[in-house]
């Protein structure tokens, strides 16, 4: 009887066994998408939370998609650059929206057209261009304007973003991974754009995957992955996952 019960016992979920190395604490921030107001609120929460806990080497990881859709992408980039200077231990992942931002920054018309379609209009308008000028420009003219609109410091900053970060039993990516491939062999396209092929898999991965990209009303804990994109640009809820040892907790701007 006892043997039968033991055989039926459910295996522990990978996220309940995953750990961060001793002496470290990690805060992962989901997709900001131009909501500098929410980012400032969440950073205040993170700094307060960190100060109230035991001494640890703390770092912040942005999961990508800082830009587009929300009203102040330029402000988000300024804030991100500032806190990296002030705190030092801040890292950034390249999201699909950053990828398209860099393509649009070249002034290539096709890239600017696609950029506009996925939320880049709001990013463009967060820089030094009026709505009147934006409306009056045709796409060729807009592409040329964009080429000279985005500041070099923003372009260089985004170009420095990483594709994936591994800490302990966790791997931090923007969109997800291609199941069955080691983290070190993942393609940029999948790390930045994948969705269904990643979300459909229930088996354990090489690491527990922490990701954004796919919006949900609440944090998703699915055993082999943790999703923290809570649609900040329209919901007002920007979420951070905090990890230390085997503990995890969440901070957000919903209140």
């Amino acid at each position: 009887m006892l043997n039968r019960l033991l055989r039926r016992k459910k295996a522990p979920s990978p996220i309940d066994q995953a750990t961060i190395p001793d002496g470290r604490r990690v805060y992962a921030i989901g997709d900001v998408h131009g909501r500098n107001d929410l980012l400032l609120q969440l950073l205040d929460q993170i700094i307060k939370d960190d100060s109230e806990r035991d001494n640890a080497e703390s770092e912040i990881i942005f999961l990508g998609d800082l830009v587009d859709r929300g009203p102040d992408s330029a402000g988000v980039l300024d804030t991100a650059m500032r806190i990296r200077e002030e705190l030092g231990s801040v890292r950034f992942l390249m999201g699909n929206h950053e990828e398209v931002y860099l393509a649009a920054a070249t002034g290539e018309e096709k890239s600017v057209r696609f950029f506009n379609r996925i939320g880049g209009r709001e990013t463009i308008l967060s820089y030094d261009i009026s709505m009147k000028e934006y409306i009056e420009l045709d796409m060729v003219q807009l592409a040329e304007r964009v080429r000279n609109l985005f500041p070099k410091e923003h372009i260089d900053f985004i170009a420095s973003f990483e594709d994936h970060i591994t800490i302990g039993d966790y791997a931090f990516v923007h969109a997800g991974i291609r199941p069955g491939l080691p983290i070190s062999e993942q393609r940029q396209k999948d790390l930045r754009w994948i969705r269904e092929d990643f979300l459909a898999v229930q088996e354990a991965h090489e690491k527990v995957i922490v990701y954004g990209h796919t919006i949900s009303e609440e944090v998703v804990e699915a055993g082999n992955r943790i999703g923290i994109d809570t649609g900040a640009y329209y919901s007002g809820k920007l979420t951070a996952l905090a990890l230390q040892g085997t503990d995890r907790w969440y901070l957000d701007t919903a209140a």
Side-chain angles (χ1 to χ4, degrees):
M1 178 67 175
L2 179 58
N3 287 337
R4 287 200 300 272
L5 289 174
L6 289 173
R7 283 198 299 270
R8 292 174 185 171
K9 186 176 179 180
K10 186 178 179 182
S13 168
I15 65 173
D16 292 327
Q17 296 180 305
T19 185
I20 292 290
D22 291 344
R24 299 181 70 175
R25 183 158 53 241
V26 176
Y27 296 92
I29 296 177
D31 302 32
V32 180
H33 274 311
R35 290 297 302 267
N36 194 44
D37 55 336
L38 300 180
L39 176 57
L40 292 170
Q41 291 177 39
L42 189 59
L43 287 170
D44 284 345
Q45 290 186 46
I46 289 172
I47 292 169
K48 181 175 185 294
D49 183 82
D50 188 55
S51 70
E52 293 173 347
R53 296 181 182 274
D54 61 305
N55 289 333
E57 179 186 343
S58 299
E59 63 184 289
I60 299 173
I61 297 173
F62 285 77
L63 297 185
D65 281 7
L66 278 69
V67 299
D68 296 350
R69 295 179 173 166
D72 193 11
S73 291
V76 168
L77 294 174
D78 286 338
T79 296
M81 293 171 68
R82 174 178 58 80
I83 65 165
R84 186 175 66 173
E85 285 294 317
E86 292 177 355
L87 301 180
S89 53
V90 184
R91 302 170 73 177
F92 301 88
L93 291 171
M94 179 79 71
N96 58 310
H97 285 261
E98 280 81 31
E99 179 184 293
V100 180
Y101 176 107
L102 292 177
T106 66
E108 201 272 320
E109 180 188 348
K110 182 179 179 181
S111 296
V112 173
R113 190 181 299 275
F114 182 56
F115 184 57
N116 265 306
R117 195 160 73 240
I118 65 170
R121 172 181 178 273
E122 288 76 14
T123 298
I124 292 170
L125 290 169
S126 72
Y127 288 103
D128 188 22
I129 181 173
S130 67
M131 176 65 81
K132 181 176 184 296
E133 180 184 1
Y134 176 87
I135 293 173
E136 290 175 348
L137 295 174
D138 62 29
M139 191 54 62
V140 173
Q141 294 169 326
L142 180 62
E144 179 62 24
R145 184 75 169 88
V146 165
R147 190 171 67 85
N148 298 294
L149 183 65
F150 297 168
K152 185 177 185 302
E153 56 266 29
H154 283 182
I155 296 171
D156 291 345
F157 173 56
I158 290 177
S160 74
F161 287 8
E162 302 174 71
D163 285 321
H164 58 80
I165 297 168
T166 299
I167 302 174
D169 294 325
Y170 292 91
F172 302 84
V173 301
H174 173 63
I177 63 168
R178 176 65 57 184
L181 284 179
I183 303 297
S184 60
E185 297 179 14
Q186 294 290 322
R187 298 185 304 167
Q188 288 182 339
K189 180 179 179 181
D190 289 327
L191 292 168
R192 300 173 186 177
W193 293 90
I194 199 169
R195 187 166 278 126
E196 287 80 6
D197 289 348
F198 163 65
L199 300 177
V201 171
Q202 299 180 11
E203 291 77 20
H205 301 297
E206 174 187 356
K207 303 284 185 179
V208 171
I209 307 300
V210 179
Y211 64 100
H213 188 60
T214 298
I215 295 174
S216 56
E217 290 185 7
E218 303 293 337
V219 168
V220 174
E221 292 191 350
N224 59 2
R225 57 185 169 87
I226 302 175
I228 60 169
D229 181 1
T230 46
Y233 72 94
Y234 72 88
S235 70
K237 182 178 180 179
L238 179 62
T239 298
L241 161 66
L243 299 166
Q244 185 173 1
T246 57
D247 295 333
R248 65 183 182 275
W249 63 99
Y250 298 95
L251 305 170
D252 65 58
T253 59

